[in-house]
Amino acid sequence: MSRISSSRNDSSTPSEAGEANLGPASGRPSRPNSAVQLRRLRRWALALADTTGIAAGILIAWEIGKLTDQNLLWAAMIVPLWIFIAKLYNLYDRDDRRIQHRTAEEIPSILATAAITVVVAKTLTELLPIPVFPSAAMIAIGGVAVMISIVLRGIVRSLYRTVADPEKTVIVGSGAKAALVSKRLTQAGTAIHLSGFVAHSANGEHSGPADLGVKYFGGIENLSAVARDREISRVVIADDSLDSRAIGAIINDCREFGVAVTLVPANQEVLGPDTELNRIADVPMLDFHFSIPPRSTMAIKRALDFTVSAALLMLTSPILLLSAVIIKLDSRGPVFFRQVRVGKNGKRFTMFKLRTMDADAESQLDDLIDLDALEEPMFKIPNDPRITRFGRFLRRSSMDEIPQFINVLTGDMSLVGPRPEEEAVVALYDERQRQRLSVKPGLTGPMQVAGRGSLSFEERLALERDYLDNLTISGDISILARTPKAVIRGDGAF
Protein backbone atom coordinates (compact mmCIF):
# COMPACT_ATOMS: atom_id res chain seq x y z
CA MET A 1 0.00 0.00 0.00
CA SER A 2 1.47 3.34 -1.05
CA ARG A 3 1.73 6.16 1.46
CA ILE A 4 1.83 9.95 1.15
CA SER A 5 4.74 11.23 3.18
CA SER A 6 5.14 14.90 3.96
CA SER A 7 8.92 14.58 4.12
CA ARG A 8 10.86 17.79 3.66
CA ASN A 9 14.28 18.22 2.14
CA ASP A 10 15.78 18.07 5.62
CA SER A 11 16.44 15.01 7.73
CA SER A 12 12.92 14.57 9.16
CA THR A 13 11.46 11.09 8.58
CA PRO A 14 7.97 10.26 7.38
CA SER A 15 6.91 9.32 10.89
CA GLU A 16 8.16 12.64 12.22
CA ALA A 17 6.67 14.80 9.47
CA GLY A 18 3.37 12.96 9.15
CA GLU A 19 1.87 10.90 6.37
CA ALA A 20 -1.44 10.28 4.69
CA ASN A 21 -2.92 7.26 2.96
CA LEU A 22 -5.30 7.63 0.07
CA GLY A 23 -6.15 3.98 0.29
CA PRO A 24 -5.84 1.07 -2.13
CA ALA A 25 -7.27 1.07 -5.59
CA SER A 26 -10.08 -1.26 -4.53
CA GLY A 27 -11.30 1.24 -1.98
CA ARG A 28 -11.28 4.35 -4.10
CA PRO A 29 -14.57 5.94 -5.15
CA SER A 30 -15.41 5.55 -8.79
CA ARG A 31 -15.60 8.57 -11.02
CA PRO A 32 -19.12 9.85 -11.61
CA ASN A 33 -20.29 8.41 -14.92
CA SER A 34 -21.66 11.80 -15.95
CA ALA A 35 -18.22 13.43 -15.63
CA VAL A 36 -16.56 10.69 -17.70
CA GLN A 37 -19.28 10.89 -20.32
CA LEU A 38 -19.01 14.68 -20.50
CA ARG A 39 -15.27 14.51 -21.12
CA ARG A 40 -15.79 11.86 -23.79
CA LEU A 41 -18.53 13.99 -25.33
CA ARG A 42 -16.19 16.99 -25.36
CA ARG A 43 -13.61 15.04 -27.37
CA TRP A 44 -16.23 13.98 -29.90
CA ALA A 45 -17.59 17.54 -30.05
CA LEU A 46 -14.09 18.89 -30.80
CA ALA A 47 -13.74 16.35 -33.62
CA LEU A 48 -17.18 17.36 -34.89
CA ALA A 49 -16.08 21.02 -34.82
CA ASP A 50 -13.11 20.16 -37.06
CA THR A 51 -15.31 18.06 -39.36
CA THR A 52 -17.81 20.91 -39.69
CA GLY A 53 -15.01 23.31 -40.59
CA ILE A 54 -13.67 20.98 -43.27
CA ALA A 55 -17.15 20.32 -44.67
CA ALA A 56 -17.81 24.06 -44.85
CA GLY A 57 -14.48 24.59 -46.60
CA ILE A 58 -15.27 21.88 -49.16
CA LEU A 59 -18.72 23.30 -49.88
CA ILE A 60 -17.39 26.85 -50.25
CA ALA A 61 -14.58 25.67 -52.57
CA TRP A 62 -17.19 23.79 -54.64
CA GLU A 63 -19.60 26.75 -54.66
CA ILE A 64 -17.00 29.21 -55.95
CA GLY A 65 -15.95 26.77 -58.66
CA LYS A 66 -12.55 25.81 -57.27
CA LEU A 67 -13.68 22.22 -56.73
CA THR A 68 -15.36 20.17 -59.46
CA ASP A 69 -18.15 17.63 -59.03
CA GLN A 70 -15.59 14.88 -59.62
CA ASN A 71 -13.42 16.20 -56.79
CA LEU A 72 -16.31 16.62 -54.37
CA LEU A 73 -16.66 12.96 -53.34
CA TRP A 74 -12.91 12.43 -53.04
CA ALA A 75 -12.59 15.56 -50.91
CA ALA A 76 -14.31 13.65 -48.09
CA MET A 77 -10.99 11.89 -47.46
CA ILE A 78 -9.69 15.17 -46.03
CA VAL A 79 -11.82 14.62 -42.91
CA PRO A 80 -10.11 11.43 -41.59
CA LEU A 81 -6.75 12.81 -42.68
CA TRP A 82 -7.29 16.00 -40.65
CA ILE A 83 -8.58 14.02 -37.62
CA PHE A 84 -5.52 11.74 -37.72
CA ILE A 85 -3.04 14.63 -37.90
CA ALA A 86 -4.94 16.56 -35.22
CA LYS A 87 -4.73 13.48 -33.00
CA LEU A 88 -0.96 13.46 -33.46
CA TYR A 89 -0.94 17.04 -32.14
CA ASN A 90 -3.11 15.94 -29.16
CA LEU A 91 -5.81 18.39 -30.20
CA TYR A 92 -8.53 16.20 -28.67
CA ASP A 93 -6.76 15.16 -25.47
CA ARG A 94 -5.14 18.29 -24.06
CA ASP A 95 -8.22 19.32 -22.08
CA ASP A 96 -8.02 16.12 -20.03
CA ARG A 97 -4.28 16.33 -19.48
CA ARG A 98 -3.86 19.99 -18.49
CA ILE A 99 -5.16 21.93 -15.52
CA GLN A 100 -6.30 24.64 -17.93
CA HIS A 101 -6.42 24.72 -21.70
CA ARG A 102 -7.61 27.49 -24.00
CA THR A 103 -8.51 27.35 -27.67
CA ALA A 104 -6.19 30.31 -28.29
CA GLU A 105 -3.22 28.22 -27.14
CA GLU A 106 -3.76 25.59 -29.82
CA ILE A 107 -4.07 27.96 -32.79
CA PRO A 108 -0.48 27.20 -33.95
CA SER A 109 -1.24 23.45 -33.80
CA ILE A 110 -4.49 23.94 -35.75
CA LEU A 111 -2.61 25.93 -38.40
CA ALA A 112 0.03 23.20 -38.61
CA THR A 113 -2.68 20.53 -38.88
CA ALA A 114 -4.33 22.44 -41.72
CA ALA A 115 -1.04 22.96 -43.58
CA ILE A 116 0.00 19.30 -43.31
CA THR A 117 -3.48 18.07 -44.26
CA VAL A 118 -3.58 20.28 -47.36
CA VAL A 119 -0.11 19.22 -48.50
CA VAL A 120 -0.72 15.50 -47.89
CA ALA A 121 -4.17 15.53 -49.55
CA LYS A 122 -2.82 17.40 -52.57
CA THR A 123 0.11 14.97 -52.84
CA LEU A 124 -2.17 11.92 -52.63
CA THR A 125 -4.27 13.17 -55.53
CA GLU A 126 -1.09 13.60 -57.56
CA LEU A 127 0.06 10.05 -56.82
CA LEU A 128 -3.22 8.12 -56.92
CA PRO A 129 -5.45 7.58 -59.98
CA ILE A 130 -8.08 10.07 -58.76
CA PRO A 131 -8.97 13.62 -59.85
CA VAL A 132 -6.30 16.10 -58.78
CA PHE A 133 -7.36 18.73 -56.26
CA PRO A 134 -6.65 22.26 -57.55
CA SER A 135 -4.27 24.21 -55.32
CA ALA A 136 -6.76 27.09 -55.01
CA ALA A 137 -9.39 24.65 -53.73
CA MET A 138 -7.03 23.22 -51.10
CA ILE A 139 -6.11 26.70 -49.88
CA ALA A 140 -9.78 27.63 -49.62
CA ILE A 141 -10.65 24.43 -47.75
CA GLY A 142 -7.74 24.82 -45.33
CA GLY A 143 -8.41 28.50 -44.65
CA VAL A 144 -12.13 28.09 -44.03
CA ALA A 145 -11.59 24.95 -41.93
CA VAL A 146 -9.11 26.76 -39.65
CA MET A 147 -11.38 29.74 -39.02
CA ILE A 148 -14.53 27.70 -38.38
CA SER A 149 -12.70 25.10 -36.31
CA ILE A 150 -11.23 27.74 -33.99
CA VAL A 151 -14.63 29.37 -33.46
CA LEU A 152 -16.48 26.08 -32.91
CA ARG A 153 -13.79 24.73 -30.58
CA GLY A 154 -14.16 27.83 -28.44
CA ILE A 155 -17.93 27.33 -28.35
CA VAL A 156 -17.55 23.65 -27.41
CA ARG A 157 -15.31 24.50 -24.46
CA SER A 158 -17.59 27.31 -23.37
CA LEU A 159 -20.60 24.96 -23.40
CA TYR A 160 -18.62 22.32 -21.53
CA ARG A 161 -17.74 24.77 -18.75
CA THR A 162 -21.42 25.69 -18.54
CA VAL A 163 -22.71 22.14 -18.03
CA ALA A 164 -19.73 20.51 -16.25
CA ASP A 165 -18.99 20.95 -12.58
CA PRO A 166 -15.84 22.99 -11.83
CA GLU A 167 -12.79 20.87 -11.11
CA LYS A 168 -12.51 20.69 -7.32
CA THR A 169 -8.90 21.40 -6.47
CA VAL A 170 -6.76 21.23 -3.33
CA ILE A 171 -3.34 22.84 -2.97
CA VAL A 172 -0.53 21.12 -1.12
CA GLY A 173 1.74 23.77 0.41
CA SER A 174 1.89 27.01 2.32
CA GLY A 175 3.69 30.32 2.20
CA ALA A 176 4.21 32.76 -0.65
CA LYS A 177 4.36 30.18 -3.43
CA ALA A 178 1.14 28.45 -2.43
CA ALA A 179 -0.50 31.87 -2.01
CA LEU A 180 0.52 32.87 -5.55
CA VAL A 181 -0.82 29.61 -6.97
CA SER A 182 -4.05 30.04 -4.98
CA LYS A 183 -4.50 33.52 -6.40
CA ARG A 184 -3.92 32.35 -9.97
CA LEU A 185 -6.31 29.42 -9.64
CA THR A 186 -8.98 31.71 -8.18
CA GLN A 187 -8.54 34.03 -11.18
CA ALA A 188 -8.69 31.11 -13.63
CA GLY A 189 -12.46 31.38 -14.00
CA THR A 190 -15.30 28.92 -13.57
CA ALA A 191 -13.43 25.80 -14.73
CA ILE A 192 -11.60 25.44 -11.39
CA HIS A 193 -13.03 25.50 -7.88
CA LEU A 194 -10.33 25.96 -5.25
CA SER A 195 -11.73 23.96 -2.34
CA GLY A 196 -8.85 24.59 0.06
CA PHE A 197 -5.29 23.63 0.93
CA VAL A 198 -3.33 21.28 3.15
CA ALA A 199 0.06 22.06 4.62
CA HIS A 200 2.35 21.19 7.49
CA SER A 201 0.34 21.79 10.63
CA ALA A 202 3.04 23.96 12.17
CA ASN A 203 2.73 26.71 9.58
CA GLY A 204 -0.40 26.06 7.56
CA GLU A 205 -3.25 27.77 9.36
CA HIS A 206 -1.77 31.25 9.23
CA SER A 207 0.13 31.03 5.94
CA GLY A 208 -0.30 32.72 2.56
CA PRO A 209 -3.33 30.84 1.15
CA ALA A 210 -5.26 31.33 4.40
CA ASP A 211 -4.61 35.08 4.17
CA LEU A 212 -6.42 35.02 0.80
CA GLY A 213 -9.46 33.34 2.32
CA VAL A 214 -8.61 29.81 1.12
CA LYS A 215 -9.90 27.18 3.54
CA TYR A 216 -7.27 25.28 5.55
CA PHE A 217 -7.92 21.52 5.74
CA GLY A 218 -5.09 20.75 8.14
CA GLY A 219 -1.83 18.90 7.67
CA ILE A 220 -0.77 16.93 4.60
CA GLU A 221 -1.71 13.77 6.47
CA ASN A 222 -5.35 14.82 5.97
CA LEU A 223 -5.09 14.83 2.18
CA SER A 224 -6.62 11.35 1.90
CA ALA A 225 -9.75 12.24 3.86
CA VAL A 226 -10.11 15.59 2.08
CA ALA A 227 -9.83 14.01 -1.38
CA ARG A 228 -12.35 11.31 -0.47
CA ASP A 229 -14.92 13.34 1.46
CA ARG A 230 -14.91 16.38 -0.82
CA GLU A 231 -14.64 14.49 -4.11
CA ILE A 232 -11.48 16.33 -5.11
CA SER A 233 -10.50 15.85 -8.75
CA ARG A 234 -7.09 17.56 -8.76
CA VAL A 235 -4.23 18.13 -6.33
CA VAL A 236 -1.77 20.97 -7.01
CA ILE A 237 1.59 20.57 -5.28
CA ALA A 238 3.11 23.98 -4.50
CA ASP A 239 5.55 23.16 -1.72
CA ASP A 240 9.28 23.31 -2.41
CA SER A 241 10.03 21.76 0.99
CA LEU A 242 8.70 18.35 -0.11
CA ASP A 243 11.42 16.00 -1.34
CA SER A 244 11.13 13.74 -4.36
CA ARG A 245 10.10 10.76 -2.24
CA ALA A 246 7.16 12.63 -0.72
CA ILE A 247 6.06 14.04 -4.08
CA GLY A 248 6.35 10.61 -5.68
CA ALA A 249 4.17 9.13 -2.94
CA ILE A 250 1.51 11.79 -3.48
CA ILE A 251 1.53 11.21 -7.24
CA ASN A 252 1.32 7.43 -6.89
CA ASP A 253 -1.53 7.50 -4.41
CA CYS A 254 -3.43 10.13 -6.40
CA ARG A 255 -3.14 7.88 -9.43
CA GLU A 256 -4.70 5.01 -7.49
CA PHE A 257 -7.38 7.29 -6.10
CA GLY A 258 -8.26 8.73 -9.53
CA VAL A 259 -7.13 12.28 -8.69
CA ALA A 260 -5.15 14.32 -11.24
CA VAL A 261 -1.92 15.93 -10.04
CA THR A 262 -0.28 19.18 -11.09
CA LEU A 263 3.21 20.00 -9.81
CA VAL A 264 4.37 23.62 -9.65
CA PRO A 265 8.15 23.38 -10.17
CA ALA A 266 10.74 25.13 -8.05
CA ASN A 267 11.94 28.45 -9.51
CA GLN A 268 8.81 28.62 -11.65
CA GLU A 269 9.48 32.33 -12.25
CA VAL A 270 12.11 31.53 -14.89
CA LEU A 271 10.11 28.94 -16.81
CA GLY A 272 8.65 30.53 -19.91
CA PRO A 273 6.33 29.05 -22.57
CA ASP A 274 9.32 28.09 -24.74
CA THR A 275 10.85 25.98 -21.96
CA GLU A 276 10.86 22.36 -23.13
CA LEU A 277 11.03 19.18 -21.10
CA ASN A 278 13.48 16.67 -22.56
CA ARG A 279 15.08 13.51 -21.25
CA ILE A 280 18.46 11.86 -21.35
CA ALA A 281 17.76 8.28 -20.31
CA ASP A 282 15.71 8.57 -17.10
CA VAL A 283 16.85 12.11 -16.24
CA PRO A 284 14.36 14.89 -17.13
CA MET A 285 15.95 18.14 -18.28
CA LEU A 286 14.54 21.58 -19.03
CA ASP A 287 15.79 23.39 -22.13
CA PHE A 288 15.53 27.20 -22.08
CA HIS A 289 15.16 29.22 -25.27
CA PHE A 290 15.97 32.74 -24.16
CA SER A 291 17.26 34.76 -27.08
CA ILE A 292 16.78 38.00 -28.96
CA PRO A 293 13.91 37.52 -31.45
CA PRO A 294 15.25 37.20 -35.01
CA ARG A 295 14.64 40.01 -37.48
CA SER A 296 12.22 37.82 -39.41
CA THR A 297 10.02 37.48 -36.32
CA MET A 298 10.04 41.24 -35.74
CA ALA A 299 9.27 41.88 -39.42
CA ILE A 300 6.25 39.56 -39.28
CA LYS A 301 5.20 41.21 -36.03
CA ARG A 302 5.35 44.66 -37.66
CA ALA A 303 3.40 43.45 -40.70
CA LEU A 304 0.76 42.00 -38.38
CA ASP A 305 0.64 45.29 -36.45
CA PHE A 306 0.12 47.36 -39.58
CA THR A 307 -2.46 45.10 -41.23
CA VAL A 308 -4.62 44.40 -38.18
CA SER A 309 -4.53 47.94 -36.78
CA ALA A 310 -5.45 49.47 -40.16
CA ALA A 311 -8.37 47.07 -40.55
CA LEU A 312 -9.65 47.55 -37.00
CA LEU A 313 -9.28 51.33 -37.21
CA MET A 314 -11.59 51.34 -40.23
CA LEU A 315 -14.06 48.95 -38.60
CA THR A 316 -14.23 50.96 -35.37
CA SER A 317 -14.45 54.38 -37.01
CA PRO A 318 -18.26 54.56 -36.48
CA ILE A 319 -17.69 53.84 -32.76
CA LEU A 320 -15.08 56.59 -32.61
CA LEU A 321 -17.44 59.06 -34.23
CA LEU A 322 -20.33 58.22 -31.86
CA SER A 323 -18.02 58.31 -28.83
CA ALA A 324 -16.71 61.72 -29.88
CA VAL A 325 -20.24 63.14 -29.93
CA ILE A 326 -21.08 61.68 -26.49
CA ILE A 327 -17.80 62.89 -24.98
CA LYS A 328 -18.51 66.46 -26.13
CA LEU A 329 -22.04 66.29 -24.70
CA ASP A 330 -20.91 64.69 -21.43
CA SER A 331 -18.19 67.16 -20.38
CA ARG A 332 -16.12 70.09 -21.56
CA GLY A 333 -12.80 69.47 -23.20
CA PRO A 334 -11.25 67.79 -26.26
CA VAL A 335 -12.34 64.41 -27.61
CA PHE A 336 -8.86 62.91 -27.58
CA PHE A 337 -6.50 62.70 -24.63
CA ARG A 338 -2.86 63.10 -25.61
CA GLN A 339 -0.03 62.23 -23.29
CA VAL A 340 3.71 61.65 -23.66
CA ARG A 341 4.59 58.05 -22.90
CA VAL A 342 7.89 56.17 -22.96
CA GLY A 343 8.34 53.52 -25.64
CA LYS A 344 11.05 51.20 -26.89
CA ASN A 345 14.56 52.02 -25.64
CA GLY A 346 13.18 55.03 -23.75
CA LYS A 347 11.91 56.82 -26.87
CA ARG A 348 9.14 59.29 -26.07
CA PHE A 349 5.97 59.46 -28.16
CA THR A 350 2.49 60.95 -27.92
CA MET A 351 -0.12 58.33 -27.09
CA PHE A 352 -3.77 58.86 -28.08
CA LYS A 353 -6.85 57.83 -26.12
CA LEU A 354 -10.46 58.89 -25.99
CA ARG A 355 -10.76 61.35 -23.11
CA THR A 356 -12.31 59.69 -20.07
CA MET A 357 -11.44 62.32 -17.44
CA ASP A 358 -12.10 65.97 -16.73
CA ALA A 359 -10.15 68.30 -18.99
CA ASP A 360 -7.96 69.43 -16.06
CA ALA A 361 -7.30 65.90 -14.75
CA GLU A 362 -3.51 66.24 -15.02
CA SER A 363 -3.45 69.22 -12.67
CA GLN A 364 -5.50 67.27 -10.10
CA LEU A 365 -3.10 64.32 -9.96
CA ASP A 366 -0.82 65.77 -7.27
CA ASP A 367 -3.82 66.11 -4.98
CA LEU A 368 -4.68 62.41 -5.37
CA ILE A 369 -1.31 60.66 -5.23
CA ASP A 370 2.28 61.38 -4.25
CA LEU A 371 4.50 59.84 -6.92
CA ASP A 372 7.62 60.20 -4.77
CA ALA A 373 6.01 58.11 -2.03
CA LEU A 374 5.08 55.18 -4.29
CA GLU A 375 6.41 51.81 -3.11
CA GLU A 376 6.27 50.52 -6.69
CA PRO A 377 6.73 52.41 -9.99
CA MET A 378 3.06 52.12 -10.95
CA PHE A 379 -0.29 53.34 -9.73
CA LYS A 380 -3.98 52.86 -10.32
CA ILE A 381 -6.67 54.90 -8.60
CA PRO A 382 -9.90 52.90 -8.12
CA ASN A 383 -12.99 55.12 -8.20
CA ASP A 384 -10.91 57.98 -9.57
CA PRO A 385 -13.04 61.15 -9.07
CA ARG A 386 -11.62 62.70 -12.26
CA ILE A 387 -13.36 60.13 -14.51
CA THR A 388 -16.47 61.36 -16.31
CA ARG A 389 -19.75 59.43 -16.48
CA PHE A 390 -19.21 58.27 -20.06
CA GLY A 391 -15.51 57.90 -19.39
CA ARG A 392 -16.19 55.17 -16.84
CA PHE A 393 -18.03 53.17 -19.49
CA LEU A 394 -15.23 53.72 -21.99
CA ARG A 395 -12.67 52.43 -19.51
CA ARG A 396 -14.66 49.39 -18.46
CA SER A 397 -15.16 48.43 -22.11
CA SER A 398 -11.58 49.46 -23.10
CA MET A 399 -13.08 51.49 -25.95
CA ASP A 400 -10.95 54.45 -24.84
CA GLU A 401 -7.94 52.55 -26.24
CA ILE A 402 -9.22 52.48 -29.84
CA PRO A 403 -7.24 55.61 -30.95
CA GLN A 404 -4.04 53.76 -30.04
CA PHE A 405 -4.42 51.88 -33.33
CA ILE A 406 -3.00 55.14 -34.74
CA ASN A 407 0.09 54.69 -32.55
CA VAL A 408 0.40 51.12 -33.81
CA LEU A 409 0.12 52.26 -37.43
CA THR A 410 2.87 54.86 -36.97
CA GLY A 411 5.16 52.27 -35.35
CA ASP A 412 5.37 53.82 -31.87
CA MET A 413 3.42 50.91 -30.42
CA SER A 414 2.70 47.27 -31.24
CA LEU A 415 -0.50 45.28 -30.94
CA VAL A 416 1.11 43.17 -28.19
CA GLY A 417 3.68 44.23 -25.63
CA PRO A 418 4.09 45.80 -22.19
CA ARG A 419 1.79 48.77 -21.59
CA PRO A 420 3.39 52.22 -22.13
CA GLU A 421 4.03 54.21 -18.95
CA GLU A 422 4.30 57.90 -18.17
CA GLU A 423 7.70 59.58 -17.92
CA ALA A 424 7.34 60.22 -14.19
CA VAL A 425 6.70 56.53 -13.53
CA VAL A 426 9.52 55.30 -15.80
CA ALA A 427 11.91 57.65 -13.95
CA LEU A 428 11.35 55.48 -10.85
CA TYR A 429 12.39 52.25 -12.63
CA ASP A 430 15.47 50.37 -11.49
CA GLU A 431 17.67 48.50 -13.97
CA ARG A 432 15.65 45.31 -13.71
CA GLN A 433 12.38 47.13 -14.34
CA ARG A 434 13.79 48.94 -17.38
CA GLN A 435 13.90 45.59 -19.20
CA ARG A 436 10.27 46.18 -20.21
CA LEU A 437 11.50 49.05 -22.42
CA SER A 438 13.43 46.67 -24.68
CA VAL A 439 10.39 46.21 -26.98
CA LYS A 440 7.64 48.45 -28.27
CA PRO A 441 4.78 48.98 -25.82
CA GLY A 442 1.57 47.21 -26.71
CA LEU A 443 -2.11 47.94 -27.09
CA THR A 444 -2.65 44.69 -25.22
CA GLY A 445 -0.23 42.35 -23.52
CA PRO A 446 0.28 39.63 -20.92
CA MET A 447 -0.97 41.89 -18.13
CA GLN A 448 -4.26 42.61 -19.92
CA VAL A 449 -5.18 38.92 -20.18
CA ALA A 450 -4.05 38.01 -16.65
CA GLY A 451 -5.77 40.49 -14.36
CA ARG A 452 -4.95 44.02 -15.56
CA GLY A 453 -5.09 46.56 -12.73
CA SER A 454 -5.58 43.90 -10.04
CA LEU A 455 -1.97 42.70 -10.43
CA SER A 456 0.83 43.97 -8.25
CA PHE A 457 3.83 45.49 -10.00
CA GLU A 458 5.97 42.41 -9.26
CA GLU A 459 3.32 40.11 -10.75
CA ARG A 460 3.02 42.37 -13.75
CA LEU A 461 6.80 42.54 -14.19
CA ALA A 462 7.09 38.74 -13.99
CA LEU A 463 4.49 38.36 -16.75
CA GLU A 464 6.20 40.92 -18.95
CA ARG A 465 9.67 39.49 -18.37
CA ASP A 466 8.32 36.08 -19.37
CA TYR A 467 6.87 37.68 -22.53
CA LEU A 468 10.18 39.34 -23.38
CA ASP A 469 12.17 36.14 -22.87
CA ASN A 470 9.81 34.10 -25.04
CA LEU A 471 8.57 36.53 -27.70
CA THR A 472 7.02 34.63 -30.61
CA ILE A 473 4.38 35.34 -33.25
CA SER A 474 2.26 32.45 -31.97
CA GLY A 475 2.49 33.92 -28.46
CA ASP A 476 1.27 37.29 -29.76
CA ILE A 477 -1.62 35.64 -31.59
CA SER A 478 -2.57 33.78 -28.41
CA ILE A 479 -2.66 37.03 -26.40
CA LEU A 480 -4.69 38.77 -29.12
CA ALA A 481 -7.17 35.89 -29.14
CA ARG A 482 -7.57 36.05 -25.34
CA THR A 483 -7.95 39.84 -25.19
CA PRO A 484 -11.66 40.09 -26.16
CA LYS A 485 -12.63 37.77 -23.29
CA ALA A 486 -10.53 39.80 -20.84
CA VAL A 487 -12.19 43.01 -22.08
CA ILE A 488 -15.68 41.53 -21.73
CA ARG A 489 -14.97 40.28 -18.20
CA GLY A 490 -13.46 43.65 -17.26
CA ASP A 491 -11.34 42.21 -14.45
CA GLY A 492 -9.09 44.86 -12.93
CA ALA A 493 -10.28 47.57 -15.34
CA PHE A 494 -10.50 50.93 -13.58
Side-chain angles (χ1 to χ4, degrees), residues 163-485:
V163 300
D165 292 330
E167 191 172 45
K168 294 181 181 179
T169 303
V170 165
I171 289 180
V172 176
S174 59
K177 180 173 184 175
L180 176 62
V181 174
S182 299
K183 184 176 181 180
R184 291 292 178 263
L185 291 179
T186 303
Q187 295 172 337
T190 58
I192 297 174
H193 172 70
L194 182 55
S195 299
F197 76 105
V198 295
H200 297 288
S201 301
N203 62 2
E205 190 171 2
H206 304 291
S207 66
D211 295 337
L212 297 174
V214 181
K215 189 171 183 179
Y216 177 53
F217 290 141
I220 295 181
E221 65 273 9
N222 297 325
L223 182 57
S224 131
V226 171
R228 180 180 60 252
D229 298 342
R230 298 181 179 273
E231 297 183 347
I232 300 301
S233 36
R234 184 174 296 271
V235 168
V236 178
I237 304 174
D239 189 344
D240 291 341
S241 68
L242 294 175
D243 61 21
S244 58
R245 179 183 176 188
I247 294 174
I250 292 176
I251 292 173
N252 288 335
D253 280 353
C254 284
R255 181 187 296 115
E256 288 188 3
F257 202 62
V259 177
V261 179
T262 296
L263 173 66
V264 183
N267 303 315
Q268 80 280 353
E269 299 90 348
V270 300
L271 304 182
D274 274 359
T275 304
E276 295 181 3
L277 176 63
N278 285 320
R279 286 180 177 272
I280 295 183
D282 61 336
V283 180
M285 298 185 178
L286 291 174
D287 289 332
F288 293 80
H289 303 278
F290 298 152
S291 61
I292 298 174
R295 286 181 293 180
S296 57
T297 296
M298 301 311 292
I300 296 173
K301 182 176 171 70
R302 177 57 187 153
L304 187 68
D305 287 343
F306 187 87
T307 304
V308 174
S309 60
L312 291 179
L313 195 58
M314 288 188 291
L315 288 174
T316 57
S317 55
I319 298 176
L320 279 176
L321 181 59
L322 179 61
S323 298
V325 173
I326 299 177
I327 289 172
K328 295 299 289 185
L329 294 174
D330 185 45
S331 62
R332 292 182 301 166
V335 170
F336 292 106
F337 171 72
R338 298 173 175 84
Q339 188 179 59
V340 175
R341 296 289 178 101
V342 180
K344 182 179 179 181
N345 298 326
K347 177 186 175 183
R348 290 163 177 79
F349 69 96
T350 300
M351 188 187 74
F352 300 97
K353 296 179 70 173
L354 288 174
R355 182 173 60 83
T356 60
M357 291 185 174
D358 297 331
D360 59 345
E362 291 287 289
S363 62
Q364 300 178 38
L365 182 60
D366 291 338
D367 297 331
L368 296 173
I369 192 167
D370 183 1
L371 290 176
D372 295 331
L374 290 176
E375 295 181 2
E376 297 178 329
M378 65 171 287
F379 68 89
K380 283 283 186 180
I381 307 175
N383 301 315
D384 195 323
R386 303 172 297 166
I387 300 178
T388 63
R389 289 172 299 177
F390 184 58
R392 199 166 301 279
F393 165 75
L394 289 174
R395 287 192 169 210
R396 290 290 298 178
S397 62
S398 294
M399 287 169 52
D400 62 318
E401 312 282 0
I402 292 177
Q404 288 171 41
F405 286 127
I406 299 173
N407 293 117
V408 177
L409 274 175
T410 59
D412 291 323
M413 292 177 60
S414 177
L415 289 173
V416 182
R419 285 297 291 161
E421 289 287 5
E422 301 174 39
E423 291 181 281
V425 174
V426 173
L428 302 176
Y429 283 1
D430 59 27
E431 192 61 33
R432 178 178 62 100
Q433 294 158 354
R434 291 187 68 84
Q435 293 176 6
R436 67 192 308 272
L437 302 178
S438 61
V439 297
K440 290 179 183 179
L443 183 63
T444 185
M447 182 189 77
Q448 279 63 42
V449 297
R452 304 173 78 177
S454 62
L455 299 173
S456 69
F457 183 74
E458 283 301 317
E459 291 173 329
R460 172 179 169 181
L461 191 64
L463 286 168
E464 291 175 343
R465 188 167 56 242
D466 176 75
Y467 172 78
L468 296 175
D469 287 338
N470 301 279
L471 196 158
T472 60
I473 299 300
S474 60
D476 277 14
I477 293 174
S478 176
I479 290 175
L480 287 171
R482 293 163 58 190
T483 296
K485 182 178 179 180

Side-chain angles (χ1 to χ4, degrees), residues 84-122:
F84 174 73
I85 296 171
K87 187 69 176 177
L88 295 181
Y89 276 100
N90 296 315
L91 285 174
Y92 307 118
D93 307 316
R94 291 180 183 177
D95 297 86
D96 294 336
R97 297 179 180 180
R98 304 177 65 178
I99 188 171
Q100 187 180 57
H101 181 62
R102 302 182 182 91
T103 301
E105 296 170 348
E106 62 188 18
I107 290 177
S109 297
I110 294 175
L111 290 171
T113 297
I116 295 173
T117 300
V118 165
V119 171
V120 172
K122 172 70 172 175

